[in-house]
Amino acid sequence: MTAEILDGKAAALRLQQTVGAGVARRTGAGGRPPELAVVLVGENPASQVYVRKKRSQCEEVGIVSHAHDLPADIEQETLLALVDELNAAANIDGILVQLPLPPHMDAQQVIDRIDPAKDVDGFHPVNMGRLALKLPGPRSCTPRGVMTLLEDAGIVLAGKDAVIIGQSNIVGRPMAMELLNARCTVTICHSRTRDLEAKVRGADVLVAAVGRPGFVQGDWIKEGAVVVDVGINRLESGKLAGDVDFDGARQRAGWITPVPGGVGPMTVATLLANTLDAADARDPVY
Ligand code: NAP
């Protein structure tokens, strides 16, 4: 079997177009465009790349983005004061603080300070709780993006055995909730999991979010499985690689995401969707 490719680039483009149409509907009905504040602290090169992508894609779909680039040695209190200001700003629908923050800062305190209605990253405890309770609200971009990608491909999830490798707050945990909400039977694995290989072998749906290139071996994959590779790892050669041995896994899987061109583009497009949703919820025009 050779797996079909879950083309995140193409699906992200479709999602972007949908968001662009939503923005145009708002402005066409006399409303204002959604506005997103993008906060970048320091000069982490990967963060700079992500932020640049997010800002340029906002522009493409008609979302107004406001850049707040702050020096790496900024005080925690100064960043919290900016968040307070953005929370109070009537025109700002979404606030994104690019992670990771410099080591002297407390990222969770910053996330906790964001108005949950403006939390377009879906990281606020209130929004994580809403996801866990299957209530509407902003959903974390990467897991929501994965769900959109699977829906877009017409993959039926109900009843499937799903295995997630990784239990981080930004990927593994919300991903588990998303798949549970889709009525999968979910197993969450991490560095203390015993016999990981056996768990992966039983997975109808595998989501790898480990951060180690080629960590999941191709022959672990169940025949016909859906393989979602969230990992983004920069190799010494400068190339990007996922957490899954793509060539090996592709021989056994039914569907597989490439890296790059899989989950990554969906994450950015989902941020746009979350920003439009936040604007529609805060300031409906139709
Ligand atoms: P993270 O916070 O470092 O979490 C990694 C997880 O992997 C942890 O839960 C850890 O377990 C688990 N792990 C580590 N070694 C393991 C092992 N030997 N066996 C089983 N589990 C193991 O990473 P993250 O932020 O979730 O990101 C994961 C990857 O996704 C990274 O490559 C990141 O760059 C990528 N990412 C991509 C996107 C995207 O848009 N595509 C978005 C976010 C992240 P413990 O908890 O037990 O330590």
Side-chain angles (χ1 to χ4, degrees):
M1 168 175 269
T2 303
E4 291 205 48
I5 299 293
L6 285 161
D7 185 346
K9 231 171 143 178
L13 199 61
R14 285 193 287 277
L15 181 53
Q16 269 179 48
Q17 285 162 350
T18 306
V19 173
V23 172
R25 250 199 327 275
R26 274 184 71 80
T27 51
R32 57 176 187 79
E35 296 191 34
L36 174 69
V38 181
V39 181
L40 175 64
V41 182
E43 286 167 7
N44 177 321
S47 294
Q48 285 176 325
V49 171
Y50 289 134
V51 162
R52 223 177 296 133
K53 260 190 208 159
K54 290 169 183 176
R55 287 174 181 155
S56 75
Q57 289 194 17
C58 278
E59 259 174 49
E60 281 169 31
V61 300
I63 292 174
V64 178
S65 82
H66 299 271
H68 297 269
D69 292 343
L70 306 169
D73 61 357
I74 191 178
E75 302 269 350
Q76 178 85 3
E77 285 307 319
T78 312
L79 180 54
L80 292 174
L82 173 62
V83 170
D84 289 343
E85 198 184 298
L86 296 170
N87 282 340
N91 63 313
I92 296 294
D93 300 296
I95 302 170
L96 179 144
V97 178
Q98 183 65 40
L99 300 179
L101 290 175
H104 70 281
M105 302 191 88
D106 178 349
Q108 191 59 51
Q109 193 187 33
V110 176
I111 292 167
D112 290 353
R113 194 73 158 247
I114 295 172
D115 177 350
K118 298 188 177 188
D119 168 38
V120 285
D121 256 337
F123 293 160
H124 192 284
V126 165
N127 291 324
M128 285 284 178
R130 294 186 70 82
L131 175 67
L133 296 174
K134 224 178 163 181
L135 296 171
R139 290 153 58 197
S140 305
C141 296
T142 300
R144 183 182 174 189
V146 168
M147 298 309 283
T148 309
L149 185 59
L150 300 180
E151 277 160 29
D152 201 73
I155 292 169
V156 176
L157 291 169
K160 298 266 169 70
D161 288 334
V163 171
I164 299 162
I165 317 178
Q167 55 126 6
S168 70
N169 288 348
I170 63 167
V171 186
R173 284 166 189 258
M175 191 73 246
M177 286 304 149
E178 292 281 1
L179 290 168
L180 179 61
N181 290 345
R183 310 304 300 266
C184 287
T185 303
V186 180
T187 303
I188 309 170
C189 302
H190 44 76
S191 63
R192 301 294 185 90
T193 296
R194 281 183 293 169
D195 202 356
L196 179 74
E197 178 183 334
K199 293 184 172 61
V200 172
R201 284 187 185 280
D204 301 313
V205 178
L206 175 72
V207 180
V210 187
R212 291 171 62 172
F215 177 77
V216 176
Q217 295 177 27
D219 65 357
W220 295 3
I221 303 298
K222 184 175 176 176
E223 286 285 342
V226 177
V227 177
V228 176
D229 192 348
V230 178
I232 301 179
N233 307 290
R234 177 79 59 189
L235 303 178
E236 273 180 20
S237 64
K239 281 177 99 176
L240 289 182
D243 290 342
V244 178
D245 160 26
F246 179 83
D247 293 334
R250 197 175 177 198
Q251 301 311 311
R252 299 173 65 88
W255 294 90
I256 190 166
T257 60
V259 178
V263 176
M266 293 305 294
T267 298
V268 183
T270 303
L271 172 72
L272 308 177
N274 279 353
T275 305
L276 174 62
D277 289 350
D280 283 345
R282 291 182 65 249
D283 193 4
V285 289
Y286 34 74

